[in-house]
Amino acid sequence: MRKLLLSAVCLLLALHARGTLAQAQKKPLETGAFTASETHAQTTEGSPSGQEKSGEKIAEGTKVDAGTKPREITFADSSVMRMGPNSLSSFDSKERLIRLDKGTILMHVPPGNGGISIEGGGVVGNVSGSTVMASSDGNGNFAFAVLESDAGAGQITNKDGSVTSLTPGQMGVVSANRPGVSTSFEVNVTALMESSPLFTEFTTPMPGNEKVTAVAEKQGGGN
């Protein structure tokens, strides 16, 4: 019995050590910068000029309004976020949290950086080392899609704490009409890549595109 208890304690200590190590490796987002040369997105806080130029830094907590065209932001940890037209968002560096007030974003997070969480209307989608898309209308409707993930899965957490797991190629949705219910379904990744301006209206491919394409091919029965 004593040996059994000792083994259990050793296991718990090992798990705690792994958790502490993982937390220590979690990198802050720190700052972002517009990367598209044609960018004219507006920042509603912290910008004397009211408009940002390519390469200008975006401070934590600053609300960024994408304006009428898709915009791209690269963070200090090499994460890349694309904002759809009329999207409004901000970020929390230490928590690696994107607050999506409204609109749609596409985000790629390199593996090993600590993942990302995207919050809209009190609902949170999170995943590690992946490409994700999220959408919020500001009225309680929120969607979170895992397009690819080295971790193998992500999740969406509802306001009541209930969790719905998502594998690559799946989307979780919370409706304002059913705020306590999260539903999931398969997304046609190929159609998404061919139709979304967050994929089509940029001259350079989104980081992680080859992994997203692999998910799309798997859905289509390819090897």
Side-chain angles (χ1 to χ4, degrees), residues 13-83:
L13 288 173
L15 291 173
H16 175 73
R18 287 183 183 178
T20 302
L21 180 59
Q23 187 174 18
Q25 292 175 339
K26 188 175 182 179
K27 300 178 181 178
L29 288 172
E30 294 182 358
T31 57
F34 289 105
T35 54
S37 59
E38 73 279 7
T39 293
H40 295 289
Q42 295 184 352
T43 55
T44 58
E45 299 174 9
S47 175
S49 65
Q51 290 195 336
E52 297 289 344
K53 298 177 181 179
S54 178
E56 287 193 31
K57 301 297 183 182
I58 305 166
E60 177 182 15
T62 299
K63 287 190 180 295
V64 179
D65 188 336
T68 59
K69 295 182 179 181
R71 308 299 179 193
E72 184 176 274
I73 296 170
T74 299
F75 291 92
D77 71 340
S78 298
S79 294
V80 175
M81 180 175 74
R82 290 179 177 176
M83 300 175 63

Side-chain angles (χ1 to χ4, degrees), residues 76-98:
D77 71 340
S78 298
S79 294
V80 175
M81 180 175 74
R82 290 179 177 176
M83 300 175 63
N86 304 310
S87 297
L88 182 65
S89 71
S90 60
F91 72 94
D92 183 309
S93 176
K94 185 178 180 181
E95 297 299 321
R96 297 188 60 82
L97 172 69
I98 304 294

Side-chain angles (χ1 to χ4, degrees), residues 121-183:
V123 182
V124 180
N126 65 279
V127 71
S128 295
S130 65
T131 305
V132 297
M133 182 176 279
S135 180
S136 174
D137 67 355
N139 295 314
N141 298 299
F142 181 77
F144 181 77
V146 178
L147 303 184
E148 60 89 7
S149 174
D150 281 9
Q155 64 182 37
I156 184 169
T157 304
N158 214 325
K159 292 180 181 180
D160 62 0
S162 59
V163 175
T164 300
S165 296
L166 303 170
T167 56
Q170 287 190 321
M171 174 182 288
V173 176
V174 174
S175 169
N177 296 328
R178 305 178 68 193
V181 179
S182 301
T183 57

